[in-house]
Amino acid sequence: MRDYVSEHLHEWVDLIFGYKQALHLRPHVIHGAVRHVLVRHEQGAGHAAEGYAHVSGKPGVAMVTSGPGATNLVTPLMDAFMDSIPMVAITGQVPTAAIGSDAFQECDTVGITRSCTKHNELVMSADEIPMAIRQAFHIATTGRPGPTLVDIPKDALTNEMEWYWPTDEEVQAALPGYRPNTKGHPRMIKEAAKLILASERPIVYAGGGILKARAAQALRELVELIDAHVVTTLMARGAFPDEHPLCLGMPGMHGNASAITAMQQSDLLITLGARFDDRITGKVDAFAPEAKIIHVDVDPAEQGKVRRPDVPIVGDANYVILEIIREIKELLQGGTRQADTSAWKSKISGWREQFPMTYEPSEPGGLLKPQYCIEQLNKYAPKGTIVASGVGQHQMYTSQYWKFNDPYTWVNSGGLGTMGFSIPAAIGAKAAMPDRTVWAVDGDGCFQMTATELVTATLEKLPIKVALLNNSFLGMVRQWQEMFYDERYSSVFLDSANVPNFVMMAESMGCVGILVESPEEVGPAIERANSINDRTVVVEFRTDATEGVFPMVPAGAGNSELILHPTQSDPTRTLQPEPKPIDTKLKDAH
Amino acid sequence: MARTRDVSGARTANTYSADMNHHILSVLVQNRPGVLARVSGLFARRGYNIFSLAVAPAEEEGRSRITIVVDLDSAPLEQITKQLFKLIDVIKISELDPSRSVERELLIATVKAAGPKLADVSTLAEIFEGKIIAVAEDLVTVSLEGHPDKLDDFEDLLGRHGIVELQRTGRVALPKLDRSSRHRSTALRQPH
């Protein structure tokens, strides 16, 4: 049985990430067509599988053992669930006869993972395995992608069975309740085309669904056809080129002022594969009050969950966008004229000029600004470089200051906000795209959560580069305590300029460690890191601990209550008519 | 989910009645291990309230039908059904409008019935077309099958005698038939 499982995995993937499945399954994988990457912690296997899936579009596979192996996989499963990452987890389970007896390393894996998987299954005999595996891949990769899990007891793997491999038809027949709708409703598509042509203040609100649906090209066609500005959410960075004149960048809590304001004042949000996340909308009641909503999403439950759409379209983003383009062209040929958007566009240009992304640049010999490090990393990055980030200030700086021009070059944990995501995810991305440069941008908090996977990077010959922005603090929380808790700092100082010694730590795991303390060292250090391609490099940047992420919409506030970078706090600004007192409810948020 | 009541028989807020903002969902599922846990877990996870829930195999082999009475004050019905639809094992959801469906429930209760009181309980059961199913020296167990509202009334009146133990099954429901049409249920479709 076990030989068959590994033999057939290569239908979907060329490698899997795992730990301690050695008992039954792993040796057969190693000798099969599928490479097994041995990680150092099961969470690393999960995030690596996510990174692999993010950049390749193929499902990531993580294979771990029962009990603690399975529970350590819970965080990556939830992360993949929140960010709609196709991922298949295979967990070992105690023999069927021992299930329910509190056996050694037994846990109720399907019970624990029920709410963090799209579907999961405990198989009870060898002959159930082929169908369970086929279904797991089918469900993970179709409709709204997500993680699935197959729990396989030891005896099911070692018992004999009559081999069969279910056909696609058999797989679907066995899932009568699973029929994802990929074709949008033609009448709604027509309606959307009409609304788009009639809109005077349109904004395309592009989410991660664009990338999942491989719809970046279609998106560009649509945007250029209707000549409307685009915002790309945290999950959609790279789905539309930042350097394109119609790209406004990221909206949301730490988005760019012009993107936030344009959404806020728009009369039509053309929502493509986005889900009105609270980090985008701010206070929902105050979000884009005059906008009509076209909502394209493959998941019907997203329609109307947060904001009631005027035109709901359930379907695959790529298919629906192409259909909308076709309808628009037909309407134009039929003599319909697009509404005049020139006033709106000049308004947007005004905001862009008035409120660029900004920070106080590093002075030679002065404190190192994290934003400057990101800009320099971006400047020296070879074409096609993939960036993975952890969660916190460094994640926001990267999203804000890295110019993303290609899809599938940005890997991050958006929905769950999993600290420690970047290093294992970068390893997974490198495994999928070995010829690309992969930078993991990490913070000193995140790094200490999953740095152990650098051993994996070294031994499995998956050399990544880590830019560790060390400000000695849990920076994002520090910033909140500064802004909303009267600078009463509590449990945010990590003292990581002293302990650990990151350079020694990196070197102990077979990496090259480089310490950067001043602005003038940044460029040369990055160039040196880029020149090393046979080993993982960790560049530690000692950054200004007092720097904060701006702009910022405080949690629970409306998007008009935008706080700009202190250097932009110009009394003539129009975005925030007058400073409003921060709502006390904020203190319960986050 | 639990219907609490006090022994004095006064109806508590948890008893459903006709005016309550409830809806009946009839959910056809694949009869597989864990399916009830998936459904109830979904309700718990998303903060939806269940008033009652009944589950048993359906007419077709390998299928079960779950009748759920949901509290619409906790979430809009549309979100509840859409989220239910996302469960792989859920095949079909029918929303049953209480005015266009037949609803039944079974109640059994043991009440105090010492001496002459036995006749009172017996009469009460007779009026409601219920049954005496067991008698002890000072206790009697009665059963009643019928519309949940009728059961509410019966329960109220039994309460005056002192209910020792009571169990209701939770309602089951099917679309009401009329002479002309076959199906009166609205099979919920995914929106377009």
Side-chain angles (χ1 to χ4, degrees):
Chain A
M1 182 58 237
R2 52 196 182 185
D3 301 288
Y4 286 119
V5 170
S6 53
E7 235 168 70
H8 281 268
L9 282 174
H10 78 258
E11 276 186 28
W12 301 283
V13 289
D14 44 18
L15 81 173
I16 64 175
F17 304 89
Y19 201 71
K20 237 171 77 174
Q21 249 291 349
L23 281 177
H24 346 295
L25 200 51
R26 208 168 63 81
H28 302 270
V29 171
I30 287 173
H31 298 122
V34 179
R35 176 181 172 194
H36 182 281
V37 175
L38 177 62
V39 297
R40 287 298 178 273
H41 187 285
E42 290 89 350
Q43 185 189 357
H47 291 321
E50 288 185 86
Y52 175 92
H54 253 290
V55 299
S56 71
K58 291 188 272 188
V61 180
M63 191 153 66
V64 301
T65 192
S66 64
T71 56
N72 277 341
L73 204 58
V74 166
T75 302
L77 285 170
M78 191 63 217
D79 193 275
F81 199 31
M82 289 285 262
D83 286 348
S84 308
I85 308 296
M87 171 177 165
V88 176
I90 299 171
T91 51
Q93 184 53 278
V94 301
T96 47
I99 289 177
S101 71
D102 303 319
F104 177 65
Q105 293 196 330
E106 184 193 357
C107 76
D108 174 15
T109 303
V110 289
I112 291 169
T113 59
R114 194 170 284 135
S115 59
C116 57
T117 53
K118 189 173 168 187
H119 193 63
N120 64 13
E121 191 98 35
L122 166 66
V123 299
M124 290 299 277
S125 65
D127 53 8
E128 291 175 19
I129 294 178
M131 181 59 95
I133 297 277
R134 287 282 275 114
Q135 288 184 348
F137 277 89
H138 176 65
I139 293 168
T141 54
T142 50
R144 179 179 185 167
T148 55
L149 180 143
V150 185
D151 197 22
I152 310 181
K154 183 174 185 284
D155 53 331
L157 274 173
T158 48
N159 284 353
E160 293 198 359
M161 62 162 290
E162 189 105 349
W163 175 254
Y164 76 104
W165 195 239
T167 63
D168 288 352
E169 291 70 33
E170 286 168 332
V171 170
Q172 286 187 26
L175 296 168
Y178 183 68
R179 296 282 180 272
N181 188 5
T182 54
K183 306 259 185 281
H185 194 287
R187 189 166 51 81
M188 288 296 163
I189 287 170
K190 205 166 267 175
E191 202 57 40
K194 280 188 205 155
L195 269 188
I196 290 170
L197 288 182
S199 164
E200 290 173 356
R201 307 196 303 277
I203 287 292
V204 176
Y205 165 23
I210 294 287
L211 295 171
K212 305 299 176 334
R214 323 300 286 180
Q217 186 52 41
L219 171 68
R220 189 167 178 156
E221 264 175 58
L222 174 70
V223 166
E224 288 176 351
L225 174 66
I226 61 172
D227 201 21
H229 283 90
V230 186
V231 300
T232 49
T233 69
L234 182 65
M235 291 310 296
R237 305 290 290 128
F240 190 77
D242 276 338
E243 274 162 15
H244 194 290
L246 290 171
C247 191
L248 293 177
M250 180 173 74
M253 180 177 267
H254 290 296
N256 164 337
S258 41
I260 296 168
T261 311
M263 278 182 106
Q264 197 63 4
Q265 302 196 7
S266 142
D267 69 355
L268 179 68
L269 288 179
I270 306 159
T271 312
L272 307 170
R275 61 179 177 90
F276 297 90
D277 179 77
D278 58 86
R279 287 302 193 254
I280 298 287
T281 61
K283 192 159 84 191
V284 177
D285 299 339
F287 174 68
E290 288 166 29
K292 288 198 168 173
I293 307 288
I294 295 170
H295 194 175
V296 179
D297 204 298
V298 75
D299 179 359
E302 288 303 336
Q303 305 284 356
K305 186 182 83 179
V306 177
R307 175 78 177 250
R308 173 115 340 241
D310 298 273
V311 182
I313 305 176
V314 176
D316 170 77
N318 193 51
Y319 174 89
V320 174
I321 293 171
L322 291 175
E323 283 297 294
I324 291 177
I325 291 172
R326 200 179 50 75
E327 282 295 337
I328 289 177
K329 285 184 176 163
E330 236 168 67
L331 286 170
L332 291 173
Q333 274 163 12
T336 310
R337 301 271 294 274
Q338 186 175 2
D340 182 10
T341 59
S342 54
W344 172 239
K345 281 165 66 189
S346 73
K347 220 172 178 183
I348 291 176
S349 314
W351 292 326
R352 296 181 80 169
E353 251 170 61
Q354 206 179 347
F355 308 107
M357 292 299 303
T358 190
Y359 65 95
E360 274 178 290
S362 302
E363 300 290 333
L367 288 171
L368 188 50
K369 296 290 178 178
Q371 299 95 326
Y372 175 74
C373 299
I374 303 294
E375 283 184 328
Q376 295 300 304
L377 283 165
N378 187 200
K379 181 178 146 193
Y380 289 105
K383 183 155 174 53
T385 294
I386 293 164
V387 196
S389 94
V391 168
Q393 286 184 318
H394 64 278
Q395 174 190 27
M396 291 297 111
Y397 294 136
T398 312
S399 181
Q400 291 176 332
Y401 288 93
W402 193 285
K403 295 282 169 237
F404 292 97
N405 286 311
D406 298 300
Y408 313 109
T409 55
W410 168 237
V411 182
N412 94 124
S413 164
L416 193 63
T418 308
M419 284 179 66
F421 178 79
S422 75
I423 288 175
I427 291 170
K430 183 73 181 174
M433 302 282 171
D435 300 332
R436 303 265 203 100
T437 298
V438 180
W439 271 105
V441 179
D442 224 353
D444 46 315
C446 286
F447 185 87
Q448 292 181 67
M449 288 194 168
T450 51
T452 179
E453 296 303 342
L454 291 176
V455 175
T456 309
T458 297
L459 294 180
E460 294 279 349
K461 306 215 172 347
L462 296 167
I464 59 166
K465 304 182 197 305
V466 182
L468 168 53
L469 303 183
N470 179 4
N471 62 1
S472 300
F473 277 92
L474 291 171
M476 190 61 96
V477 187
R478 192 206 64 80
Q479 181 179 345
W480 282 57
Q481 291 181 350
E482 177 189 333
M483 292 173 68
F484 309 123
Y485 295 84
D486 307 324
E487 298 184 48
R488 284 179 279 117
Y489 298 116
S490 169
S491 306
V492 288
F493 181 53
L494 295 176
D495 204 5
S496 26
N498 291 315
V499 180
N501 182 322
F502 287 120
V503 169
M504 281 170 68
M505 197 175 162
E507 281 170 356
S508 76
M509 292 186 276
C511 311
V512 177
I514 302 172
L515 178 64
V516 174
E517 291 180 289
S518 69
E520 54 277 16
E521 295 167 9
V522 171
I526 293 171
E527 280 190 292
R528 191 178 150 215
N530 281 338
S531 71
I532 301 168
N533 287 312
D534 55 345
R535 285 171 77 189
T536 289
V537 188
V538 177
V539 187
E540 178 192 354
F541 299 94
R542 293 276 171 85
T543 62
D544 181 357
T546 62
E547 190 61 36
V549 183
F550 293 99
M552 179 175 194
V553 179
N559 277 349
S560 308
E561 297 166 53
L562 189 66
I563 302 171
L564 293 168
H565 192 274
T567 56
Q568 274 176 315
S569 298
D570 166 1
T572 62
R573 70 180 188 220
T574 53
L575 286 177
Q576 189 189 12
E578 56 204 58
K580 293 194 178 160
I582 307 288
D583 196 300
T584 47
K585 267 185 283 180
L586 282 179
K587 311 219 163 178
D588 305 324
H590 206 75
Chain B
M1 215 175 127
R3 299 176 58 257
T4 55
R5 63 184 313 289
D6 61 26
V7 189
S8 73
R11 200 181 297 172
T12 67
N14 271 6
T15 312
Y16 35 55
S17 62
D19 59 345
M20 197 152 284
N21 191 12
H22 76 261
H23 249 270
I24 308 163
L25 294 177
S26 178
V27 185
L28 188 69
V29 297
Q30 279 193 288
N31 190 1
R32 301 171 68 173
V35 64
L36 186 58
R38 287 182 206 281
V39 170
S40 57
L42 171 80
F43 274 75
R45 145 92 176 82
R46 301 230 173 232
Y48 309 151
N49 287 340
I50 299 177
F51 273 120
S52 82
L53 185 145
V55 53
E59 64 283 354
E60 201 180 327
E61 177 84 25
R63 305 271 195 270
S64 283
R65 181 165 280 112
I66 305 179
T67 308
I68 313 171
V69 181
V70 293
D71 168 16
L72 293 190
D73 293 329
S74 65
L77 183 69
E78 184 190 325
Q79 257 303 302
I80 296 177
T81 54
K82 280 175 169 176
Q83 293 293 346
L84 270 176
F85 253 128
K86 286 173 73 169
L87 298 179
I88 307 292
D89 290 335
V90 170
I91 298 166
K92 185 182 155 191
I93 304 174
S94 304
E95 181 200 340
L96 301 176
D97 179 342
S99 69
R100 299 208 309 203
S101 54
V102 286
E103 300 171 50
R104 284 296 177 270
E105 193 176 0
L106 176 68
L107 171 156
I108 53 175
T110 297
V111 294
K112 289 177 192 161
K117 293 276 186 189
L118 177 60
D120 295 349
V121 176
S122 171
T123 309
L124 187 62
E126 219 168 278
I127 295 168
F128 277 85
E129 298 177 305
K131 289 191 182 113
I132 305 283
I133 49 180
V135 184
E137 198 177 322
D138 54 355
L139 294 171
V140 58
T141 301
V142 293
S143 78
L144 177 67
E145 167 272 326
H147 191 278
D149 292 347
K150 183 177 166 187
L151 266 58
D152 286 350
D153 295 340
F154 186 57
E155 189 183 329
D156 249 6
L157 293 164
L158 280 182
R160 296 179 189 172
H161 298 275
I163 294 171
V164 179
E165 273 183 289
L166 179 138
Q167 173 73 60
R168 289 172 67 157
T169 56
R171 71 181 72 191
V172 291
L174 285 176
K176 194 183 277 179
L177 299 178
D178 62 26
R179 272 174 215 149
S180 53
S181 63
R182 296 214 175 92
H183 286 283
R184 300 299 293 177
S185 73
T186 336
L188 293 171
R189 294 241 172 80
Q190 304 191 353
H192 293 289

